[in-house]
Amino acid sequence: MDIKGVNLGNWLVLEKWMSPALFEGTTAEDEYHLPRQLSKEVYEARIRVHRSEYISERDFLAIRRMGMNAVRIPVPYFIFGDRPPFIGCIKELDRAFDWAEKYNLKVLIDLHTAPLSQNGFDNGGLCGVCRWSQTPGEVEYVLQVLEKLSVRYGQRKGLLGMEPINEPITEPMWKRMDVPSRYPASDPEQAAGSAPNTLEFLRDFYTNAYNRIRPHMAEDCFVVFHDGFQMKAWKDFLTRPHFQNVMLDTHLYLMLAEQDGCPRTMDGYLAYIEEHYAQDIREVQEYVPVICGEWCLFNSYAVGVDTRGGQSVLNGMEFSGNKERFTPEQKKEIYRTLANALLSAWSVGSGYFYWSYKVLLDTCGDPNWIGWDSWDLGRCVDEGWVRG
Amino acid sequence: MDIKGVNLGNWLVLEKWMSPALFEGTTAEDEYHLPRQLSKEVYEARIRVHRSEYISERDFLAIRRMGMNAVRIPVPYFIFGDRPPFIGCIKELDRAFDWAEKYNLKVLIDLHTAPLSQNGFDNGGLCGVCRWSQTPGEVEYVLQVLEKLSVRYGQRKGLLGMEPINEPITEPMWKRMDVPSRYPASDPEQAAGSAPNTLEFLRDFYTNAYNRIRPHMAEDCFVVFHDGFQMKAWKDFLTRPHFQNVMLDTHLYLMLAEQDGCPRTMDGYLAYIEEHYAQDIREVQEYVPVICGEWCLFNSYAVGVDTRGGQSVLNGMEFSGNKERFTPEQKKEIYRTLANALLSAWSVGSGYFYWSYKVLLDTCGDPNWIGWDSWDLGRCVDEGWVRG
């Protein structure tokens, strides 16, 4: 298994920073609040045009042409359309499978959000709230969504696997990110009682999810578990004899390395990649296939300012006077060197998915975005930063 | 001057067939009727999301990476926002110039529509109506729009030129296309009196347009006149001594060659390209630089059915049982051969713009669209049909 893939981020699960225009005229910071600040008609119009234009058949061809063999598709819990005011998107996923199969790509279905959120991140759909795992009815709801997805796609030729939940946060990351401050809840009452998920809960949820979806999935498809930002906590769990074709997903961003104390220099990054990423993957890959399901080239050194863990202009961070620090040739050299090191780390495991395929940033209109184009694999390939 | 360019079709001037979802839930066939069938809020929501997502900075990079050096940007007459219910898009064009300059692309501003239409095509914005040139107030309005555009962009480094009006139809094409039948007007009263433009009118309009915009434009920029589908009718006009840096734009689609009796075979196309396209361009290039401002690889032979001059499923043409006629390798061979022949014809002149950069067709969801992906330069390059 040598997965070379890319995430179709911001297509079916919105992140404001990746397409700010979708959120125009509102103060919503996340997907949950967007329909609550727009009329039903306007919300629907924005969402439908976005879904039809952001990703279409042509993108699957482009991704194949980049040398990829897989896409990871984040989907929301309301994909079946049973959670108004949200609009379902199962037809879009159907189409994605048709396109993936036409262009020889495999699909990893990634349930990216849960009601009341599994992490409190903006990309979890509801900033500052993390109460899903404390709400048994919603845990059961998610299991039902997963089961329905497995029934619908479990035998599709294009299916690579299913990931029951993306980035369920656990205590160390909850503290490191200081979620309540970094992603302030707009409704403190809704956030009250928020707390990281426990590993006990996750083991239980993963077991239930496995049992509900595995029977519907073709044998060679994978059930992919996110590590909750604790790559080494899963050995006993994942080596249980009755698990077949399970996989661990870990997300390794350089901005997290920076938060962990990695120096913002090329030597610093390269050492960190070898000593932490490659080593950890090597260790884990001994007992379970591991993929890096999210990563990108973005880092403070290349951007030229301390991004404070990837905080953006949309987090209220203004990098006033932001300018390119390096020439295009220097940037190419930096990114290529990092890409080689990172790709070589992922190749110790079972592969990777870049985050993300496409980001709608305007570095001319807002210089605060200078350097953020490295989140966009299309741009990275076109710039020659990653070899397509 | 060796222009290698692509049109940013369907971005600021809509064509239903290029993004059907924008027109969903309406019976509108053109840009004029879309806002008349939607609430103000929904129309605005659709248009704003479309404009922000269909083309963004990343596309200018992609176009440069394809080896292009220019983009032709169709803009509507209401670009300055003074014609409700339409929404202006001058900010989008501002941004396009920023992006073009960043990625070393030149911009040809193409006024693609006029009030009451200059051709009656769907892409003229108002099907079946062609009364602009008979309405002096609207002719003057268009001249003012052109003048304002020249004041705003005339000294921009990124400006290649301005094209006063796209495809003003004249009698031969009006008859050949049978515009009133092919593009039936939804309001017969509005269409009453429609007729092709005369060459006298066009010469007069082009002279006025030249005089209004040339003074504001940098000397090395071009004023580009569309030939009204009569490539050889402009010698005396274009060689007037007071014209500086004028250029002729001719649109040469294989589907028009088919309508002209060109056999739907490879030999037929190749002979037609050499005997008509290359020869005509050679003759005209003697006295004025000529570009092929719109062309594409689309043809009935490769599609496998008679497309009747490019009529689509949206024109009510159902190609039932449409399947790929050729293997991917055969298609690549066909398209590469045609691309070489066509590019070599354009190189006899001053260059070309492909139509179009991007089309949102789903060939899986609706097999009627099989073969239409050749309208999309991104797909052509990714498929290896045109060398990027």
Side-chain angles (χ1 to χ4, degrees):
Chain A
M1 201 70 213
D2 185 16
I3 298 168
K4 296 173 203 261
V6 62
N7 284 277
L8 301 187
N10 195 45
W11 182 33
L12 304 179
V13 175
L14 304 184
E15 296 188 32
K16 181 177 178 177
W17 72 279
M18 294 173 77
S19 57
L22 267 184
F23 286 74
E24 230 169 59
T26 77
T27 58
E29 294 293 334
D30 55 42
E31 184 154 57
Y32 180 87
H33 288 94
L34 186 62
R36 287 160 177 87
Q37 294 199 19
L38 296 171
S39 71
K40 190 170 180 294
E41 292 69 28
V42 167
Y43 174 67
E44 177 170 336
R46 289 191 186 188
I47 293 297
R48 291 207 186 280
V49 172
H50 165 73
R51 289 182 184 163
S52 71
E53 300 211 354
Y54 195 77
I55 297 290
S56 68
E57 183 182 336
R58 74 196 296 280
D59 297 296
F60 283 71
L61 168 62
I63 289 166
R64 181 72 219 182
R65 199 56 59 226
M66 287 174 183
M68 301 293 134
N69 57 27
V71 289
R72 181 171 178 260
I73 305 187
V75 300
Y77 61 86
F78 54 80
I79 184 168
F80 287 103
D82 54 358
R83 286 288 181 122
F86 298 114
I87 301 167
C89 50
I90 198 70
K91 294 245 166 80
E92 282 78 359
L93 192 56
D94 285 347
R95 253 174 252 143
F97 269 89
D98 293 339
W99 297 332
E101 288 168 358
K102 176 167 179 182
Y103 295 103
N104 276 316
L105 293 165
K106 293 280 185 181
V107 176
L108 173 57
I109 302 173
D110 153 40
L111 188 68
H112 211 71
T113 63
L116 296 172
S117 189
Q118 75 281 22
N119 53 33
F121 300 160
D122 55 344
N123 58 60
L126 180 54
C127 289
V129 177
C130 188
R131 288 174 41 217
W132 166 66
S133 65
Q134 306 169 43
T135 315
E138 298 293 21
V139 175
E140 172 57 25
Y141 170 78
V142 163
L143 289 168
Q144 285 170 16
V145 169
L146 291 168
E147 187 169 354
K148 284 201 273 183
L149 288 170
S150 71
V151 168
R152 195 176 185 105
Y153 302 109
Q155 302 298 320
R156 288 289 297 244
K157 177 173 159 270
L159 184 68
L160 169 68
M162 289 182 58
E163 184 160 357
I165 195 70
N166 178 64
E167 295 190 352
I169 199 165
T170 57
E171 202 171 358
M173 184 58 83
W174 179 265
K175 286 185 171 159
R176 193 205 281 185
M177 294 289 268
D178 192 7
V179 173
S181 318
R182 177 159 171 176
Y183 300 103
S186 67
D187 175 0
E189 254 179 70
Q190 194 183 30
S194 287
N197 307 286
T198 63
L199 286 174
E200 289 87 334
F201 166 80
L202 282 180
R203 280 192 289 263
D204 192 45
F205 170 71
Y206 282 169
T207 306
N208 290 332
Y210 180 91
N211 291 336
R212 298 276 278 265
I213 66 179
R214 182 78 263 178
H216 305 290
M217 293 168 67
E219 213 175 316
D220 61 345
C221 292
F222 287 85
V223 178
V224 179
F225 299 117
H226 186 270
D227 66 3
F229 306 103
Q230 297 193 54
M231 207 196 301
K232 301 192 197 167
W234 300 94
K235 185 169 182 181
D236 293 345
F237 178 75
L238 290 173
T239 51
R240 290 183 187 176
H242 85 287
F243 279 155
Q244 294 200 325
N245 277 340
V246 294
M247 192 176 256
L248 191 68
D249 174 20
T250 189
H251 296 174
L252 300 173
Y253 287 105
L254 290 171
M255 62 189 183
L256 296 180
E258 292 174 11
Q259 287 184 326
D260 192 36
C262 167
R264 294 168 179 76
T265 62
M266 284 302 283
D267 285 348
Y269 296 138
L270 294 174
Y272 194 96
I273 291 166
E274 179 50 36
E275 288 159 27
H276 295 264
Y277 293 172
Q279 286 296 356
D280 291 352
I281 289 174
R282 191 170 292 120
E283 179 182 330
V284 175
Q285 184 78 11
E286 291 288 322
Y287 51 87
V288 70
V290 54
I291 55 169
C292 180
E294 295 189 17
W295 67 284
C296 75
L297 292 176
F298 181 77
N299 65 83
S300 292
Y301 177 71
V303 173
V305 294
D306 181 358
T307 69
R308 297 180 222 185
Q311 293 192 63
S312 76
V313 53
L314 289 181
N315 298 119
M317 302 296 287
E318 296 281 334
F319 305 110
S320 59
N322 198 8
K323 281 189 229 165
E324 293 287 359
R325 175 175 180 181
F326 297 105
T327 66
E329 290 68 33
Q330 288 171 323
K331 263 172 70 174
K332 192 187 281 191
E333 179 61 24
I334 291 167
Y335 283 131
R336 280 192 173 195
T337 305
L338 287 174
N340 286 341
L342 290 163
L343 288 169
S344 133
W346 314 152
S347 74
V348 173
S350 293
Y352 65 85
F353 292 91
Y354 200 90
W355 187 279
S356 184
Y357 167 62
K358 178 177 182 177
V359 187
L360 297 180
L361 296 179
D362 177 3
T363 66
C364 298
D366 187 346
N368 280 302
W369 289 120
I370 286 177
W372 291 71
D373 43 358
S374 56
W375 287 89
D376 180 324
L377 182 63
R379 287 168 83 150
C380 291
V381 169
D382 283 335
E383 293 280 14
W385 299 338
V386 176
R387 281 184 191 86
Chain B
M1 203 65 214
D2 186 17
I3 298 168
K4 296 173 203 261
V6 62
N7 284 277
L8 301 188
N10 195 45
W11 182 33
L12 304 179
V13 175
L14 305 183
E15 297 188 31
K16 182 178 178 177
W17 74 278
M18 294 172 77
S19 58
L22 268 184
F23 286 74
E24 230 170 58
T26 76
T27 59
E29 293 294 333
D30 54 41
E31 183 153 57
Y32 181 87
H33 288 95
L34 186 62
R36 286 161 178 88
Q37 293 199 20
L38 296 172
S39 71
K40 188 168 181 293
E41 292 70 29
V42 168
Y43 174 67
E44 177 169 336
R46 289 191 185 188
I47 293 297
R48 291 207 186 281
V49 173
H50 165 73
R51 288 182 184 163
S52 71
E53 301 210 353
Y54 196 78
I55 298 290
S56 68
E57 182 181 338
R58 74 198 295 280
D59 297 296
F60 283 73
L61 168 62
I63 289 167
R64 180 73 218 182
R65 199 57 58 227
M66 286 175 186
M68 302 292 133
N69 56 30
V71 288
R72 180 171 178 260
I73 305 186
V75 301
Y77 61 85
F78 54 78
I79 184 169
F80 287 104
D82 54 358
R83 286 290 182 121
F86 298 115
I87 301 167
C89 49
I90 198 69
K91 294 244 166 82
E92 281 79 359
L93 192 55
D94 285 347
R95 251 173 254 145
F97 268 88
D98 293 339
W99 297 333
E101 288 166 358
K102 176 167 178 183
Y103 295 103
N104 276 315
L105 293 166
K106 293 282 185 180
V107 176
L108 173 58
I109 302 173
D110 153 40
L111 188 67
H112 210 71
T113 63
L116 296 173
S117 188
Q118 75 282 18
N119 53 34
F121 300 159
D122 55 343
N123 59 60
L126 181 53
C127 290
V129 177
C130 188
R131 288 172 43 214
W132 166 64
S133 65
Q134 306 167 44
T135 314
E138 297 295 20
V139 175
E140 172 57 26
Y141 170 79
V142 163
L143 289 168
Q144 286 171 15
V145 170
L146 290 167
E147 187 169 353
K148 283 201 274 183
L149 288 169
S150 71
V151 168
R152 194 175 187 107
Y153 302 110
Q155 303 297 320
R156 287 289 296 245
K157 174 172 160 271
L159 185 68
L160 170 68
M162 289 182 57
E163 183 160 358
I165 195 72
N166 178 65
E167 296 191 351
I169 199 166
T170 58
E171 203 172 358
M173 185 59 83
W174 180 264
K175 286 185 171 159
R176 193 205 277 185
M177 294 288 270
D178 192 7
V179 173
S181 317
R182 178 160 171 174
Y183 300 104
S186 67
D187 175 0
E189 254 179 68
Q190 194 183 32
S194 288
N197 308 285
T198 64
L199 285 173
E200 289 86 338
F201 166 80
L202 282 180
R203 280 193 290 263
D204 191 46
F205 170 71
Y206 281 169
T207 306
N208 289 332
Y210 180 92
N211 291 336
R212 298 276 278 266
I213 65 179
R214 182 79 260 179
H216 304 290
M217 293 167 67
E219 213 175 316
D220 61 345
C221 292
F222 287 85
V223 179
V224 180
F225 299 117
H226 186 270
D227 66 3
F229 305 103
Q230 296 192 57
M231 208 197 299
K232 300 192 195 167
W234 301 94
K235 184 170 183 178
D236 292 346
F237 177 76
L238 290 174
T239 52
R240 290 182 187 176
H242 85 288
F243 278 154
Q244 294 200 327
N245 277 342
V246 294
M247 194 175 258
L248 191 67
D249 174 19
T250 191
H251 295 175
L252 300 173
Y253 286 105
L254 290 171
M255 61 188 184
L256 296 179
E258 292 175 11
Q259 286 184 325
D260 193 36
C262 166
R264 294 169 180 78
T265 63
M266 284 302 284
D267 285 349
Y269 295 139
L270 294 174
Y272 194 97
I273 290 166
E274 179 51 37
E275 289 159 26
H276 295 263
Y277 293 173
Q279 285 297 354
D280 292 352
I281 289 174
R282 191 169 290 119
E283 179 183 328
V284 174
Q285 184 79 11
E286 290 288 319
Y287 52 84
V288 69
V290 54
I291 55 168
C292 180
E294 295 188 17
W295 67 284
C296 75
L297 292 177
F298 181 77
N299 66 82
S300 292
Y301 177 71
V303 172
V305 293
D306 181 359
T307 69
R308 296 179 224 186
Q311 293 191 62
S312 75
V313 54
L314 288 181
N315 298 118
M317 303 294 289
E318 296 281 334
F319 305 110
S320 59
N322 199 7
K323 282 189 228 163
E324 293 287 359
R325 177 176 179 178
F326 297 106
T327 67
E329 291 66 35
Q330 289 171 323
K331 264 172 71 174
K332 191 187 279 190
E333 179 62 27
I334 291 167
Y335 283 133
R336 281 192 172 195
T337 306
L338 287 174
N340 286 341
L342 290 162
L343 289 168
S344 134
W346 315 151
S347 74
V348 174
S350 293
Y352 66 86
F353 292 92
Y354 200 91
W355 187 277
S356 185
Y357 168 61
K358 178 177 183 178
V359 187
L360 297 180
L361 295 179
D362 177 3
T363 67
C364 299
D366 187 346
N368 281 302
W369 288 120
I370 287 177
W372 291 71
D373 43 358
S374 57
W375 286 90
D376 180 323
L377 182 63
R379 288 167 83 149
C380 290
V381 169
D382 283 334
E383 293 279 14
W385 299 337
V386 176
R387 281 185 191 85

